[in-house]
Amino acid sequence: MARGWPATLSDGLIGVRPLVRRDASTWARLRTENLEWLGPWEATLPRGEGVAPESYGATIGALRRRAREGTAMPFAVTWAGQMVGQVTVSGITRGSALWASIGYWVAHSHAGRGVTPTAVALVCDHLFTQVGLHRIEISIRPENAASLRVVEKLGFDEFGLAPRYLHIAGDWRDHRLFQLLREDVPHGVLHRLRQGRPER
């Protein structure tokens, strides 16, 4: 298996673990229940680029192949052991670059509970310490206020705007680009997030 994969990580009630085939029914239910919540941010294929996988099985199969090859890490996000979202690491590049990008979603029922920032922080720390990456990138549509709050809480630095960056919801969309470097967080991303939280 690829370096750092598979991995299961947790902080209190919040965790991440490898996305597996038996998550199919939960994944489908969450996606159906959250269609309005997630739809505006969903990647789509431009005309002529084939057809997107229609089934969970096809999607997870492709992601698990990439995980074995060391270019992706598909995580289920859990709350008290139950799947409530997903964090996907993609484009893992080794050699002189040592970077990857992260995408994420969480069910509307668990938004605002700190689930996504904690899950992303767990994954970032894993990528820096166990996978050995130097840089993590997150791209976000300017209109996606909920996602922008995640990178703000985690202390990602904005470094640019990519016009017409990804095909989403049927058209090419601009994205704001954020990055975090390993040396930016000597004590870890989760530690930084906790420092920004009020004492419990």
Side-chain angles (χ1 to χ4, degrees):
M1 296 300 287
R3 183 173 175 180
W5 185 260
T8 299
L9 316 162
S10 64
D11 179 55
L13 292 174
I14 301 166
V16 296
R17 59 162 175 77
L19 199 59
V20 295
R21 292 189 184 277
R22 66 177 174 271
D23 291 319
S25 60
T26 302
W27 187 89
R29 176 180 56 78
L30 290 171
R31 302 294 296 184
T32 300
E33 291 174 353
N34 291 275
L35 192 58
E36 284 189 32
W37 169 248
L38 301 173
W41 324 116
E42 286 296 296
T44 49
L45 288 178
R47 184 174 299 185
E49 288 303 307
V51 179
E54 293 184 5
S55 71
Y56 172 84
T59 300
I60 190 59
L63 285 171
R64 286 169 63 85
R65 279 193 299 277
R66 291 184 206 144
R68 289 192 297 272
E69 295 164 357
T71 61
M73 293 185 178
F75 289 100
V77 176
T78 60
W79 171 269
Q82 301 300 309
M83 182 181 176
V84 295
Q86 185 175 335
V87 172
T88 302
V89 183
S90 59
I92 298 173
T93 306
R94 304 208 66 86
S96 58
L98 291 177
W99 79 283
S101 62
I102 290 181
Y104 46 83
W105 61 267
V106 71
H108 190 262
S109 60
H110 286 74
R113 298 191 192 186
V115 175
T116 304
T118 300
V120 173
L122 287 166
V123 171
C124 287
D125 284 340
H126 180 70
L127 293 174
F128 284 144
T129 61
Q130 302 303 311
V131 183
L133 299 188
H134 172 253
R135 176 177 173 272
I136 298 168
E137 181 177 310
I138 294 177
S139 58
I140 303 172
R141 285 185 60 183
E143 307 88 351
N144 192 342
S147 195
L148 290 170
R149 283 194 295 273
V150 173
V151 291
E152 180 182 355
K153 289 178 180 179
L154 298 179
F156 273 69
D157 295 317
E158 185 168 5
F159 69 94
L161 176 71
R164 299 175 299 282
Y165 181 66
L166 285 176
H167 200 269
I168 290 181
D171 203 355
W172 294 103
R173 310 290 181 175
D174 297 350
H175 279 64
R176 292 169 64 180
L177 304 177
F178 299 84
Q179 70 174 13
L180 193 62
L181 305 178
R182 184 172 11 181
E183 56 265 32
D184 293 340
V185 282
H187 302 293
V189 186
L190 186 60
H191 175 80
R192 173 187 276 189
L193 178 62
R194 286 173 172 162
Q195 292 300 105
R197 293 176 177 170
E199 292 297 321
R200 297 180 186 179

